[in-house]
């Protein structure tokens, strides 16, 4: 009889172990579990919109000498939500002869075509690649897409397809919509967090770093390490 109890007791123990092991709960002591380290939270990004023109000397200077240096030297890419609008002081009109919408640009037809090419680059590449490519292209008043894309090892086939398959006014329409509603009087125009201040534009262009730091602190109550 005692042997029977031992056998039954052993069998019952095995059943209980089996149930405990198969109900989805870990049998490992909490102290033995290694918790994976969580990634540090991403820093918030300040929205910065640049309204510029492909053949505008002031646009070239600001993007190549101020904006590019700030993003690179201060490592501000991780904290910047950059938006580029290649339109400037352009406009649309209805061509009565054809009945189609046309676009005119401050520096003539070649600028409209380059603005549209920039727009296609922005649409088909990520923002950092787009910016680096446009930065390179703004060295010249002519189309430098071939040279710059090769130099940066970027595939621009989709940008070419965009430019070749669509009409320039159609490509520029969404960029014009955002720029025209501001009523800008100078190019480039820089807008932080969709809050356009026409009276501060000259100061922003020449003291971009100071204004960026000020706006970042105002928006997020965070002083960036590179802001003195």
């Amino acid at each position: 009889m005692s042997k029977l109890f031992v056998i039954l007791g052993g069998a019952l123990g095995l059943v209980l172990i089996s149930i405990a092991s198969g109900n989805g709960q870990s049998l490992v002591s909490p102290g033995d579990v290694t918790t994976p380290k969580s990634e540090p939270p991403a820093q918030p990004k300040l929205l910065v919109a640049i309204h510029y023109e492909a053949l505008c000397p002031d646009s070239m200077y600001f993007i190549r000498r101020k904006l590019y240096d700030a993003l690179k030297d201060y490592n501000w890419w991780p904290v910047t939500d950059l938006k580029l609008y290649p339109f400037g002081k352009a406009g649309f009109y209805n061509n009565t002869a054809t009945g189609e919408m046309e676009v005119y640009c401050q520096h003539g037809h070649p600028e409209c075509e380059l603005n549209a090419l920039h727009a296609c680059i922005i649409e088909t590449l990520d923002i950092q690649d787009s910016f680096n490519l446009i930065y390179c292209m703004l060295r010249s008043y002519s189309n430098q897409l071939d040279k710059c894309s090769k130099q940066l090892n970027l595939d621009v086939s989709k940008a070419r397809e965009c430019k070749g398959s669509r009409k320039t006014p159609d490509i520029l329409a969404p960029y014009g919509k955002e720029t025209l509603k501001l009523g800008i009087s100078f190019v480039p125009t820089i807008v932080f967090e969709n809050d356009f201040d026409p009276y501060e534009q000259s100061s922003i262009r020449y003291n971009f770093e100071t204004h960026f730091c000020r706006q970042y602190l105002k928006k997020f109550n965070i002083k960036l390490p590179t802001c003195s």
Side-chain angles (χ1 to χ4, degrees), residues 33 38 57 61 69 81-82 97 105 117 125 181 183 191 209 222 226:
V33 177
S38 59
Y61 176 83
D69 290 349
D81 181 9
L82 181 65
C105 295
L117 180 57
L125 296 176
K181 68 183 182 182
V191 182
E209 298 89 344
I222 296 174
T226 46

Side-chain angles (χ1 to χ4, degrees), residues 70 72-76 79 209 212-213 223-228:
K72 182 180 178 182
D73 295 347
Y74 297 120
N75 192 31
W76 280 350
V79 295
E209 298 89 344
F212 185 96
C213 289
K223 185 176 182 180
L224 294 170
T226 46
C227 293
S228 59

Side-chain angles (χ1 to χ4, degrees), residues 199-208 211 214:
Y199 304 106
E200 285 290 316
Q201 288 302 307
S202 179
S203 179
I204 294 172
R205 285 191 296 272
Y206 292 104
N207 304 284
F208 176 75
H211 285 272
R214 185 183 301 161

Side-chain angles (χ1 to χ4, degrees), residues 54-140:
L55 294 180
C56 168
D58 291 303
S59 294
M60 292 175 169
Y61 176 83
F62 174 76
I63 290 174
R64 290 187 51 79
R65 301 301 176 203
K66 301 296 290 184
L67 183 60
Y68 179 86
D69 290 349
L71 292 171
K72 182 180 178 182
D73 295 347
Y74 297 120
N75 192 31
W76 280 350
W77 270 113
V79 295
T80 304
D81 181 9
L82 181 65
K83 304 293 184 185
L84 299 173
Y85 296 94
F87 191 80
K89 295 174 72 175
F92 297 104
Y93 68 96
N94 182 46
N95 186 328
T96 55
T98 63
E100 295 183 347
M101 180 179 69
E102 300 286 354
V103 60
Y104 63 87
C105 295
Q106 182 172 207
H107 300 94
H109 179 72
E111 181 171 76
C112 288
E113 296 304 314
L114 280 175
N115 282 350
L117 180 57
H118 284 206
C120 284
I121 289 168
I122 294 162
E123 286 183 21
T124 56
L125 296 176
D126 69 53
I127 186 57
Q128 198 160 347
D129 284 341
S130 296
F131 181 76
N132 288 335
L133 181 55
I134 289 169
Y135 165 83
C136 177
M137 293 172 66
L138 288 178
R139 293 175 181 171
S140 171

